[in-house]
Amino acid sequence: MVDFQLDEEQEALRVTVRDFAREQVAPVIAEHYEHKTFPYEVIRQMGKMGLFGLPFPEESGGMGGDYFALCIALEELARVDSSVAVTLEAAVSLGAMPIHRFGTPEQKEQWLPRLCSGEALAAFGLTEPGTGSDAAGTQTRAVFDEATDEWVINGSKAFITNSGTDITCLVTVMAVTGTNPDGSKELSTIIVPSGTPGFTVAPGYSKVGWCASDTHELSFDDVRVPAANLLGERGRGFAQFLRILDEGRIAIAALSVGLAQGCVDESVRYAQQREAFGRPIGNYQAIQFMIADMEMRAHIARVGYYDAAARMLAGQDFKRYAAIAKLNASNAAMENSRWATQVHGGYGFMNESAVGRFYRDAKILEVGEGTSEVQRMLIARGLGL
């Protein structure tokens, strides 16, 4: 029998993160968002709760949970704020997960305990100024210097989350390391610790949304790291990152559902309090229908990411279902933020309102970790087209 109900342990996690988001994140996030500051105090609390270690084994310093547990936490955080949610998502599914999946025992021992505790963050260096969806177009290069047993990296990366905080410890960089027999680029991934000479983090971007998260352009000018910093097999970097992105799409779908559900939460609350023509606006059918459609979108999107996560954890082919979940959930987030702003009227257009932030945060969900167009390509390929 198909069961989309959370078990007792999962429900306890959901409630714990929900309460944390409402009691600790909600009161402070508007100020961080307005001033574009990183919420270090919130991140420290999340680390103490074990959220950064949710899907990792206990021997690595994690909580011994699974990827679905991470998704539950992301949804509940994003119901209140997406900047905090994406900080967790990028730190776990993009930052620490490549080391967990492909790292050597020595790399795992060196990096994972700090990453699982939230004391340090890692970033995922894929996107470049001239390459987004076309990851195979990577221009950053790494040349192996046999004399010093080091990789020498030159190039740049763009829009990299968690790459410039005071607690960022590394960036995993995809670079061209040679040429394959068929003439295509040989792509490998290499760990670059923060503070390595020649590794420069540009000032943070001025963004439309996710204003309390950390995003930078990175440059590498003759950056030298030991040969032991190669992550996984040489020439397998592209395949590794594709696996990480497939998983990450489920996480972004969960985050999108959280934003979509947050729009419902805020709209129901406002519709019960705001009066027009002598009655709460929630008594009017026009408002009721708007909110009913929002709840429908959030519910269907949640079922989609639950299904994709279940397939992944069962060891089944989940690529197409992850793309479906991400595409549908990001659409739901964008639509719900639009209608939540409509329900709130002029107040919804104010940046200090939750739905104002939701509206600004929603658009990037249709772009990050694969645009909506890329998701449609993946779905079509999965159907044999």
Side-chain angles (χ1 to χ4, degrees), residues 49 65 85 98 193 213 217 222 368:
M49 292 170 65
S213 71
E217 184 170 349
D222 286 337

Side-chain angles (χ1 to χ4, degrees), residues 27-251:
V28 302
I29 199 60
E31 184 173 355
H32 282 295
Y33 201 95
E34 180 180 356
H35 296 289
K36 299 177 173 59
T37 54
F38 190 73
Y40 286 102
E41 73 282 6
V42 171
I43 301 306
R44 280 193 292 270
Q45 293 177 75
M46 290 164 59
K48 292 178 181 178
M49 292 170 65
L51 299 188
F52 290 92
L54 277 173
F56 301 113
E58 294 180 8
E59 57 265 30
S60 295
M63 298 296 288
D66 58 26
Y67 205 86
F68 185 57
L70 170 66
C71 291
I72 293 171
L74 290 172
E75 179 182 344
E76 290 303 319
L77 288 172
R79 286 178 75 163
V80 170
D81 176 69
S82 291
S83 293
V84 169
V86 78
T87 298
L88 177 63
E89 189 275 336
V92 176
S93 71
L94 301 181
M97 193 60 73
I99 296 174
H100 170 65
R101 293 273 187 234
F102 312 115
T104 63
E106 293 76 17
Q107 289 169 341
K108 292 178 183 180
E109 183 179 358
Q110 179 180 1
W111 300 110
L112 282 182
R114 292 180 62 208
L115 297 177
C116 289
S117 71
E119 296 174 7
L121 301 176
F124 176 94
L126 174 63
T127 304
E128 298 186 356
T131 61
S133 300
D134 180 20
T138 297
Q139 298 298 312
T140 297
R141 293 189 171 272
V143 177
F144 188 66
D145 185 345
E146 294 185 1
T148 60
D149 199 33
E150 293 175 319
W151 289 102
V152 183
I153 306 171
N154 285 279
S156 62
K157 300 292 178 179
F159 314 127
I160 308 303
T161 304
N162 292 343
S163 58
T165 73
D166 293 343
I167 57 174
T168 299
C169 65
L170 68 89
V171 177
T172 299
V173 177
M174 188 164 80
V176 180
T177 53
T179 303
N180 291 316
D182 63 0
S184 63
K185 295 176 180 177
E186 176 192 82
L187 298 170
S188 306
T189 51
I190 301 171
I191 297 171
V192 179
S194 299
T196 302
F199 173 26
T200 304
V201 179
Y205 292 101
S206 176
K207 297 175 291 186
V208 171
W210 287 357
C211 294
S213 71
D214 179 81
T215 319
H216 299 266
E217 184 170 349
L218 312 176
S219 62
F220 305 88
D221 184 10
D222 286 337
V223 172
R224 289 179 172 268
V225 297
N229 283 29
L230 180 70
L231 183 61
E233 297 178 34
R234 177 171 178 170
R236 293 288 297 167
F238 191 53
Q240 293 170 6
F241 271 67
L242 288 179
R243 166 72 190 206
I244 293 299
L245 287 173
D246 286 340
E247 296 177 355
R249 286 172 184 134
I250 302 175

